[in-house]
Amino acid sequence: MHTNEIQGTAPHHIVVLGAGYAGMAATVQLAARTGRLKNPVVVTLVSAQERFTERLRLHMTATGQEVAELSIPEMLEGTGARFVRGWVTAVDADAQTVRIDDDRSLPYDTLVYALGGVADTAAFPGVEDHAYTLSGPEEAEALAGRLARLGGNGTVVVAGSGLTGVESAAEIAERHPELDVLLVGRDEPGASMNPKARAYLRAALDRLGVRVRSGVEVAKVLPDAVVSADGEHMAADVVLWTSGTRVSPLAAAAGLEVDARGRIVTDTALRSVSHPDVYAVGDAAAIRQGYGVMHGTCQGGMPTGVHAAVSIVRVLRGKRPKPFRFGYYHTPVSLGRDDAVVQFTRPDDSPRRICLTGRAAARYKEAVTASPWPTYGRMKKMPASGAFWPRGGRFTRIRGSR
């Protein structure tokens, strides 16, 4: 951090990399809050796309459904934040610069690293070449086109029985009832839910005609099959890979301290433990709470973006940032357009006894999915409106943190 800039001799440049749920929250909050500072601050958001990706709707895009076109530059209008479209190709943490499209260099005094995760297609042979993913709108649209070309029959194997796999399998089966949909994975679908919610989820998959194979370890993907670790070939006309994610290697290449999965290790204020002028949010960060390291979700991602912005503003004002604390509160899972299950959770993400099912759960899930974009709009005028989330009580306390 350049001290002369804090003293007001030049603008303080804050660069946000990535415009996902966390990156957008950080950008809108920074633009709203830094405008009140005495010294000039320039906030710049870098994203490869001008369109905001509603990751919570990608399984809908993958089945040919129309979703709203949400413009990032339009959301930033009137905030004072700059938008730069381009791919981040390198970060030089020592020189405090970001490389854009290999031909532009962007300097920063404070960096917010919000380059989220994508499907891990390198984990097993054949995934990169033969499987579809939901890493972004282009990938989801490519899958939608392939499903449409299958015509009246075919087998779709969804590899990965986590929540993304469940939502995708249900959506495909509902929109394409003529197709044979097989969901395979290590765990039973809804494994993290209580027995009632898990049973409801499984019954919904049965109703939609989704075949489920749990306890299966996928070893590789072929052009026409998925092969398990024990050598079984499961015929497939289309494979959707939802098993595991990976983050960009840029943080590790920049010399930032990362964990085994490549996520930036942060302190309690969400600063990089190796480079305090870098804040990490969302899927890009390894954020430790009392219950362990947070996993990537929208419900946790947006609060990290808000907290990073608040922390940066506190530092610019000469104050110490406060520790970040977050407790989970729900796991909403869509099961087609008119059905869903919502598992309410304890702050450590373990299931409570209460859950919501059916049409009421579907309405709840839609409210959750639709909420981020109008939330950004409210935060432009009232940044404090975005600073409310469950802190998690005793579940999130870390001994020694303030």
Side-chain angles (χ1 to χ4, degrees):
M1 188 177 295
H2 300 166
T3 55
N4 67 321
E5 298 196 350
I6 291 181
Q7 294 168 0
T9 58
H12 186 90
H13 290 274
I14 304 173
V15 175
V16 181
L17 304 183
Y21 292 113
M24 279 296 295
T27 302
V28 173
Q29 285 280 332
L30 283 165
R33 293 174 183 270
T34 56
R36 306 171 184 176
L37 298 177
K38 293 181 181 179
N39 300 321
V41 175
V42 177
V43 178
T44 303
L45 173 62
V46 181
S47 173
Q49 305 292 338
E50 292 188 3
R51 177 182 175 182
F52 178 74
T53 299
E54 291 185 286
R55 296 189 68 84
L56 298 176
R57 295 194 193 277
L58 285 177
H59 58 286
M60 297 171 60
T61 303
T63 51
Q65 299 175 66
E66 292 289 330
V67 299
E69 292 270 349
L70 305 177
S71 169
I72 296 169
E74 286 182 13
M75 177 57 73
L76 297 183
E77 283 181 4
T79 66
R82 298 169 53 213
F83 177 78
V84 173
R85 180 173 180 176
W87 289 95
V88 180
T89 52
V91 175
D92 189 328
D94 295 324
Q96 292 182 291
T97 58
V98 175
R99 197 78 176 155
I100 311 295
D101 292 331
D102 276 334
D103 61 5
R104 287 178 286 169
S105 185
L106 196 63
Y108 68 82
D109 296 292
T110 302
L111 183 70
V112 180
Y113 190 100
L115 298 175
V118 296
D120 188 0
T121 56
F124 297 96
V127 176
E128 183 78 50
D129 296 325
H130 307 305
Y132 290 84
T133 71
L134 298 183
S135 292
E138 295 82 4
E139 292 85 352
E141 288 165 2
L143 174 57
R146 180 70 182 98
L147 293 174
R149 291 193 300 274
L150 280 178
N153 56 57
T155 298
V156 179
V157 174
V158 179
S161 54
L163 303 183
T164 300
V166 168
E167 289 194 325
S168 301
E171 206 76 36
I172 293 170
E174 182 175 86
R175 300 289 292 190
H176 296 279
E178 73 282 1
L179 299 178
D180 178 26
V181 180
L182 172 62
L183 177 64
V184 302
R186 299 186 192 96
D187 301 319
E188 179 186 355
S192 63
M193 297 180 170
N194 69 28
K196 178 183 175 182
R198 188 164 60 248
Y200 186 90
L201 185 151
R202 184 58 185 267
L205 292 176
D206 290 343
R207 172 179 56 79
L208 290 166
V210 176
R211 293 187 293 124
V212 175
R213 291 278 308 278
S214 54
V216 174
E217 183 82 39
V218 174
K220 61 181 175 181
V221 177
L222 302 177
D224 58 355
V226 170
V227 183
S228 68
D230 60 8
E232 179 186 1
H233 282 58
M234 290 166 276
D237 296 284
V238 174
V239 176
L240 171 59
W241 189 262
T242 67
S243 181
T245 60
R246 58 181 168 85
V247 298
S248 167
L250 292 178
L256 297 166
E257 185 172 330
V258 299
D259 70 355
R261 293 179 53 189
R263 299 174 298 183
I264 296 173
V265 180
T266 71
D267 65 10
T268 59
L270 306 186
R271 294 173 296 199
S272 161
V273 295
S274 60
H275 295 74
D277 55 351
V278 177
Y279 290 72
V281 297
D283 296 351
I287 302 168
R288 182 163 293 280
Q289 299 286 282
Y291 50 76
V293 177
M294 290 176 60
H295 61 81
T297 65
C298 175
Q299 67 174 308
M302 289 179 65
T304 66
V306 174
H307 188 85
V310 173
S311 295
I312 291 167
V313 172
R314 286 185 66 86
V315 170
L316 291 176
R317 285 177 168 157
K319 300 178 180 180
R320 290 186 61 181
K322 296 179 179 180
F324 175 75
R325 293 175 61 186
F326 172 82
Y328 297 100
Y329 49 96
H330 66 192
T331 303
V333 183
S334 65
L335 300 167
R337 289 300 82 216
D338 297 314
D339 197 4
V341 58
V342 179
Q343 172 67 72
F344 294 98
T345 68
R346 299 181 184 89
D348 64 354
D349 207 30
S350 61
R352 295 186 185 272
R353 292 168 59 182
I354 186 172
C355 63
L356 191 64
T357 59
R359 289 183 178 273
R363 290 193 292 270
Y364 184 105
K365 174 64 161 64
E366 173 56 27
V368 170
T369 300
S371 65
W373 198 249
T375 297
Y376 300 140
R378 285 194 301 273
M379 291 193 304
K380 287 165 63 172
K381 298 179 179 180
M382 299 179 294
S385 67
F388 295 94
W389 60 82
R391 263 56 179 186
R394 61 182 176 83
F395 288 88
T396 59
R397 291 196 189 98
I398 298 177
R399 186 173 298 175
S401 68
R402 292 173 61 249

